[in-house]
Amino acid sequence: MLFVQVLLLLGCIILAAKLGGVGVGLAGGLGMVVAVYILGLAPGNIPVSVILIIMSVY
């Protein structure tokens, strides 16, 4: 199972590198959908502190 998760991660990174820009977010969202609905993993908590730091810099 770990091998499948690593392949999913690497696949999303490669896809995001090819798409660029907004495609990075789309590849991350696609990876999350596959991990949650196909592999049955539980999603984690929303990183609120990271979002607030990015908003303060922006």
Side-chain angles (χ1 to χ4, degrees):
M1 186 66 167
L2 180 65
F3 184 69
V4 174
Q5 293 172 6
V6 170
L7 283 178
L8 175 65
L9 175 67
L10 292 176
C12 288
I13 290 173
I14 291 170
L15 179 65
K18 288 184 178 182
L19 294 176
V22 176
V24 173
L26 292 174
L30 175 68
M32 177 61 87
V33 167
V34 170
V36 170
Y37 293 113
I38 295 177
L39 298 179
L41 300 174
N45 297 331
I46 297 175
V48 177
S49 60
V50 174
I51 293 171
L52 292 175
I53 291 170
I54 292 171
M55 288 175 56
S56 69
V57 172
Y58 182 71

